[in-house]
Amino acid sequence: MTTQATTRHGSRGSHGFSFVRIAIALQTLTIFLQAVSSGLLMTTAYGEALHSVGARVMYGASMLYVLAAVLAWKPGGGSPRPVLHASGFLALASVQVAVGIAHIPAVHLPLGVLMFGLSVLALARR
């Protein structure tokens, strides 16, 4: 009988791809695509629909990140810090959606840039 050691990232084995890492990568990708659709929003007729759908997908990706962090933390009894980070990100995503719906670009655009940077940082740390 062999057992694999759990890495500091919460994944098993040496492959380095955990559910949390995949969730963060998906979140990062969806935020990047939101920046692209933001440009389309300003230049095409279909940009608004694309950005609206993308917002829902990005929010879902943020919820998936929370779920992945909880599932990685709970069984091993490790630090709850990743859950706090994921929950904080979901809170930022909630604010982002609210200011987007309210059409407050002075907050919406910089917050989007901040969220992308934080998501890239979280991905790099995993």
Side-chain angles (χ1 to χ4, degrees):
M1 176 189 324
T2 61
T3 58
Q4 294 176 329
T6 300
T7 66
R8 71 179 177 92
H9 305 300
S11 64
R12 299 213 176 259
S14 61
H15 53 78
F17 290 104
S18 68
F19 183 36
V20 174
R21 185 172 174 84
I22 291 168
I24 296 170
L26 180 63
Q27 173 183 271
T28 305
L29 176 64
T30 61
I31 295 169
F32 176 76
L33 292 176
Q34 279 301 91
V36 172
S37 72
S38 171
L40 293 173
L41 172 70
M42 294 183 254
T43 59
T44 65
Y46 61 88
E48 184 176 357
L50 190 60
H51 196 67
S52 178
V53 169
R56 289 166 176 79
V57 174
M58 181 277 302
Y59 197 78
S62 296
M63 289 190 292
L64 182 66
Y65 177 23
V66 172
L67 176 64
V70 168
L71 291 175
W73 162 65
K74 208 56 171 150
S79 170
R81 184 173 291 162
V83 176
L84 296 174
H85 290 171
S87 298
F89 204 94
L90 184 58
L92 285 176
S94 299
V95 171
Q96 181 69 335
V97 168
V99 297
I101 290 170
H103 300 287
I104 307 173
V107 177
H108 188 69
L109 296 174
L111 183 56
V113 172
L114 174 66
M115 289 172 61
F116 180 71
L118 290 173
S119 195
V120 168
L121 181 62
L123 185 59
R125 294 185 72 174
R126 293 303 296 179

